[in-house]
Amino acid sequence: MTLSGGALVGRASETARIRPFVRNPGEGGHVLIVTGSPGIGKSALVDSEVGELREAGVRVLRAEGSETERELAFAGLHQLLRPVLAQAPVLPQRQSDALLGAFGMSDTPAEPDQLILRIAVLGLLAHVARSRPVLIVVDDAQWLDQDTVDVLAFVARRLEGERIALLGLVRADAPLPAFARSCPVLDLGPLDADAAGRLLDAQPRRPSGPLRARILQEAEGNPLALIEFARSEPGQAPWPVEPLPLADRLEQRFAARLAGLPGATRQALLLAATDPGAVSGVAPQVWRPAEQAGLIEVRDTAVRFCHPLIRSAVYHAAPPTQRRAAHRRCAAALREAPDRRVWHLAAAGTGPDESVAREMERTARRTGRRGGLVSAALALQRAAELTPDRRERARRLVLAARLAAPTGQTAWVEELTDRVRTLCDDPVLLAHAALCRGQALALTPRRAAAYPLLTRTARDLAPHDPGDALQALAAAALICYYGGDAGQRDELRRDFFRLAAAIGPRPEPDLASLWIRTGTDPSADRAALLAGVRRLAALDTAGPELTAATATLAWLLDENALAVGLFDTVGGSPAAPSPLPDGLRCVEGWACLEYGRWAHARAVAAAAARAAAQSDPPYTAAAPPALDAAVLALRGETGPARAAARQALDLVAARENRFVTVRARWALGLAAWADGDHEGAYDQFRAMFTADGDEVHYHVSRYGLGDLAAAAVRIGRPESARRIVDRLAERTAGSSPRQRAQLARARALLADGEEAGHHFRAALGEPGAQERPFSHAQVQLEYGEWLRRRLRSGRARPLLAAALETFVRLGAEPWAGRARAELRAAGIRQSPGGRDRLPALTPQQKQIVSLAARGLTNREIGERLQLSPRTVGSHLYRSFPKLGVTARSQLRDVIDGRRTPPGLFALVDAGAGEDSGDGPQQHPV
C-alpha cells in the first residue's frame, strides 16, 4: 500500500526485484509471479511500477481474473488482447480467423484450431513488441478461465528473444496456474512493524493510544486490514476480547457471505471470533461450510480465520445480545484461565459491577507482574469503567495511567488523567495523575512542558509521598539526560539535593535517587554510585524491571560487563529485549555494541524500532536507527550506516535530543573513516562538541575524544582537537576507566615524542579492556603503528596481531584491513596455510560468501543481490567445499585469505631497528 504521496511503504527489496523486470520487458526474465495473501499489496506493488510505463514507451496489456467469469472460455484472453485486437489483420488469415473466432468476432463457423489460436496470440504479441516492449499483467490469475491459462502457458514457454514479459499475481493459498509453474516467484509477506506504523500514520484518521496498538496487532502487517481498521468510526478502542469494528460497507460485504451458512456454523464462527480458545467442543462437521466458503482454516482443533478482517466482520455482524451470550459461553469454558475469563465476564455485562471490577483489578496486578504493562493498564481502565464509586474509579484510572506511562502511548495517558480530574478534587490523587502525565510526556516532543510539570509535582508530593516525589524527579532526570544540556542538569541536581534534604534518609539502595544522581552526572561521586548499583544488583527479590533499570545504571557508569550480565538475566532472546520503557530500550543495544556483541545490538535496534512504531507519538523512533548506524559503520557497511544515521537525525532535532544527535554524528564519523574520508570523519566527530569546545551532550560527547583526535591528526589539524581535549581533561580524568582510556588515547595521538608512548600505555593499562574490545583494539592498532614508524617492529607486532584478531572476530572489516597492512609493513608474511581460496569462486559466489561472513541471512543476501533465498543457499552449498569449510561460522576466517589452520603461523622477518628482534619470529595471525 502507498502513502498519500504515492510512495510505496515497506517494500524496498520487493520493488528492487520487480523494477528491472517491469521497466525492461524481456531483459530481466520473461515470467515473474507475485504471490501473497489477500490485501497484502500485490496490486499496489505492481501499480507503483506500472503506472508510468506507458509514458516510457512500454505497452501494458492487463487482465484480471474474476470468479464470475471463470467458466467463460477465453474471457481473460479477450480482456488482455482487446486493446490490440485491431492489429489482428496483420496475422496470416488462418491465424486471424482463429483468434477472432475464439472471441465470436469472426464469421468462421468452425471451432478454432487450438494450436493455430495459440500461435496467433504469440504472433500478435510479437508484432506489437516490434515497435515497443510489451508487459502482460494478469491480476488474480488464480481465477482465470482455463482456456486463457492454457494459451498463456503456451506463450510463456516461447518468449525467448522477444521483448515481452508476463507478470502474474496469484493469491498465496491458491495453486499456481500452468503458465506460472517453474518460474521465479516473488512472495510478498506482511509489512514489518515500522512500515505498518508509517502506513497507519498516513491514514486520514490516524489512530492513537491502545487503538493504534490493537490495529497493529490484529492487522498482522496486512496493508488492507491496517487501512480498513483505521477507517472505522473513531471512538474508544474495543476491549481485548472484542475484535475491532469494520466500516459498514465491508461488514455488509462479509455479512452477505455469512448469510448462506447454516445457523450452527454461524454460531460457532461467532464463538471463534470471540475467543478461538473456547471452541474445543464444536464438532468438525459444523466448521465444514465455513471452510468451503474460504472463511476459516481448521487444523486439528485449532480454528484460524483466513484474513484478519473476517474475524471482525463475523463478530460485529452479530446482534449485541448474541455477542454477550458468546462472551458468557467463553467465560464458562475458560474457568482454568481466570484472566481471560474475567474479560469475557466484563464484556457480557451491561452496567457497573464492583465484583467484576475487583476481579479485573486482580487480573491487572497479575498481568503487570508478568511485564504486560499495556494489558494491565487496559484491565485497570476496564475495572474503572465497571466501578460505581467515583473516587474509587479515579483511583483505578490513576493506577492505569501509571502502568500506561512507560508504554509510549502518551495520548492514552492524557485521556486517563483528564478523566481523573473530572472525577475528584483530592490533591494527592491529582498529583499522582500529574506524575503519570509527566512520565508519559518525558520522551515526546512536548518534553519541554513535561519538565516543569514533573519538578512541580515532585514538590507537591514531597510531604505526602516522598517515594513518588523522587520518581517525578527521576522522570525529569530522564528528560535531562536525553536533552544533554549541562545547564538544565545543574539545575535539576540542585532541586534533587534540596528535596533529598527535606525528605530525609531513604532506604538503601534507593533506585530513584541513584538514577537522578547517575543520569545527571555519572562522574560525580562515582564510587558511591557504583556501590549503590552493586547493592541493587545483589538483591534476590529484584524483578525484571528493577534488574533492567540497574543494568542501565551500570551502563551509565561504564560498568559494561555488569550491565550486559544483568540485561542477559532478563532479556531472553534478542527479539525480546529487556523490559525497559520504549525510550530506554536501546540502552541494552548500546551496552552490547560496546561489549562486542554487535549482532545482538542490531537485534535490539530492530526490536526497539518495532516498539517505536507502536508508540504514540512515535518519538522514540530516532534511537534505533542511530544504534543500527553505529554497528553498520563499524562493520564497514557505510552506505546503509549513513542512511540510518541520517534517518535518526531527521527524526530528532539537536536541541530536542542531544543524546541521539551525538550518537548519530559518531556513526557518520565512523562511516566516513571506514571509507577513508578523514576530512568528513573529522567534521562529524567535531560536531559532537560545541564551537567553544564544550560537550554537546554532557556525557556521551566525551566518548568521541579519541576519534576526534585521530581524525584531526590525519588531516593535519591537531591543534583544533588539542584545545577540546585540554578543555575537557579535568572533567574526564577522574571518571570511569573507559573515559580515562579515551582521554589517554586522545593525548597519545596528539603528543610529540616519547610522551605519546606513555599515554598509549596508560590507555591500554586501564582496567576492563574486555568490556570494550573494539576501543581497546583501536588503541593497540594505533600504538602498534606508532611503534613501527619508530622502527620498533618487534614490539609493534604483538599489538597489531592482537588488534587484528579482535577486529576480525567483531567483523570490523575496515579496521582489520588497516591492521593487516600494518602487519605486512612490520614484516609479517602470511604462511601458505592461509592462502586465499576465494579465486576458486565465481564472482556471484564471492559476493554471497562475503555477505554471509558478515552474518546476513539467506533472505537478507537474496534481497541485496535480487536472488531467492533458495538460490543463495545453493551457492553457499557449492562454495563450502571450494573454501575448505563445513559451517557458515567459518566463513569470516576465510574472507581475504585470513584462514589459518590450527598450528600454522605466519613467518615474521625481523625488521631493522630498535626492538626489532634478531631473526625470524612466529606470530599467530
Side-chain angles (χ1 to χ4, degrees), residues 244-256:
L244 292 166
L246 294 176
D248 290 342
R249 59 184 182 82
L250 270 183
E251 192 170 307
Q252 292 167 5
R253 176 181 164 189
F254 282 113

Side-chain angles (χ1 to χ4, degrees), residues 369-423:
R369 284 195 293 269
R370 295 194 297 267
L373 297 182
V374 172
S375 299
L378 280 171
L380 280 163
Q381 183 180 354
R382 184 60 174 135
E385 298 285 339
L386 296 168
T387 303
D389 181 73
R390 288 171 62 88
R391 193 188 183 288
E392 182 66 2
R393 192 183 311 164
R395 181 189 68 82
R396 285 171 172 154
L397 286 172
V398 169
L399 293 177
R402 175 168 292 185
L403 290 171
T407 68
Q409 305 297 331
T410 309
W412 182 23
V413 177
E414 290 185 292
E415 176 194 339
L416 294 170
T417 54
D418 284 342
R419 290 173 63 189
V420 172
R421 288 203 291 262
T422 66
L423 288 170

Side-chain angles (χ1 to χ4, degrees), residues 513-803:
S513 297
L514 278 173
W515 165 250
I516 296 166
R517 293 166 59 196
T518 305
T520 54
D521 193 346
S523 302
D525 201 11
R526 183 175 182 274
L529 294 175
L530 185 55
V533 170
R534 293 193 185 282
R535 285 196 294 272
L536 280 175
L539 290 177
D540 294 333
T541 57
E545 289 81 11
L546 177 58
T547 303
T550 307
T552 303
L553 291 171
W555 173 73
L556 286 169
L557 293 168
D558 287 328
E559 294 294 317
N560 225 33
L562 176 60
V564 171
L566 290 170
F567 279 129
D568 283 347
T569 64
V570 294
S573 66
S578 303
L580 287 166
D582 289 342
L584 292 174
R585 199 178 294 262
C586 281
V587 168
E588 181 184 359
W590 288 113
C592 288
L593 180 144
E594 293 153 12
Y595 201 62
R597 293 166 56 173
W598 292 356
H600 192 102
R602 290 204 71 193
V604 171
R610 289 192 294 270
Q614 298 183 16
S615 63
D616 178 37
Y619 181 70
T620 55
L627 170 59
D628 205 38
V631 182
L632 290 167
L634 289 168
R635 286 182 167 175
E637 299 178 49
T638 54
R642 279 190 290 271
R646 287 173 185 143
Q647 179 189 357
L649 291 173
D650 289 342
L651 288 169
V652 57
R655 295 186 63 127
E656 291 281 342
N657 193 327
R658 290 178 175 87
F659 175 86
V660 170
T661 299
V662 168
R663 290 290 188 176
R665 291 292 179 195
W666 182 63
L668 287 170
L670 291 174
W673 185 276
D675 283 340
D677 177 12
H678 301 118
E679 188 79 42
Y682 171 82
D683 291 340
Q684 296 298 336
F685 295 139
R686 181 63 181 81
M688 297 170 67
F689 304 89
T690 68
D692 296 334
D694 279 327
E695 302 125 311
V696 168
H697 186 284
Y698 60 76
H699 181 218
V700 294
S701 285
R702 300 177 185 181
Y703 301 121
L705 279 177
D707 293 318
L708 173 66
V713 169
R714 279 295 181 108
I715 64 172
R717 298 172 63 182
E719 284 304 319
S720 62
R722 186 175 287 114
R723 285 193 296 271
I724 295 175
V725 171
D726 291 343
R727 187 182 185 95
L728 302 182
E730 185 177 344
R731 307 175 200 174
T732 307
S735 187
S736 67
R738 179 187 175 196
Q739 290 192 26
R740 294 197 299 270
Q742 278 287 329
L743 177 62
R745 176 194 172 204
R747 282 180 157 164
L749 292 166
L750 297 168
D752 297 322
E754 291 302 314
E755 184 185 358
H758 166 75
H759 289 303
F760 275 128
R761 289 189 292 274
L764 293 174
E766 290 290 350
Q770 73 281 1
E771 299 182 23
R772 46 185 192 277
F774 177 79
S775 298
H776 191 69
Q778 275 183 302
V779 182
Q780 290 175 319
L781 172 60
E782 290 160 348
Y783 189 24
E785 289 173 331
W786 185 85
L787 288 168
R788 186 192 64 76
R789 290 184 178 117
R790 279 152 185 80
L791 304 181
R792 303 174 191 175
S793 298
R795 290 176 59 189
R797 291 167 190 146
L799 290 164
L800 296 171

Side-chain angles (χ1 to χ4, degrees), residues 32 45 58 128 213 216 268 278 282 336 361 364 485 595 625 665 686 690 739 785 818:
L32 177 65
L45 174 65
V58 176
V128 175
L216 289 169
V282 178
E336 301 302 318
E361 186 171 352
D485 181 75
Y595 201 62
R665 291 292 179 195
R686 181 63 181 81
T690 68
Q739 290 192 26
E785 289 173 331
R818 182 173 149 200

Side-chain angles (χ1 to χ4, degrees), residues 216-273:
L216 289 169
Q217 177 187 355
E218 293 198 18
E220 298 175 345
N222 186 284
L224 178 63
L226 287 163
I227 292 171
E228 293 300 338
F229 283 146
R231 282 178 178 168
S232 59
E233 287 300 318
Q236 180 176 297
W239 302 113
V241 290
E242 299 170 310
L244 292 166
L246 294 176
D248 290 342
R249 59 184 182 82
L250 270 183
E251 192 170 307
Q252 292 167 5
R253 176 181 164 189
F254 282 113
R257 296 174 65 181
L258 295 172
L261 299 177
T265 302
R266 291 201 303 273
Q267 288 184 4
L269 284 174
L270 176 58
L271 195 64

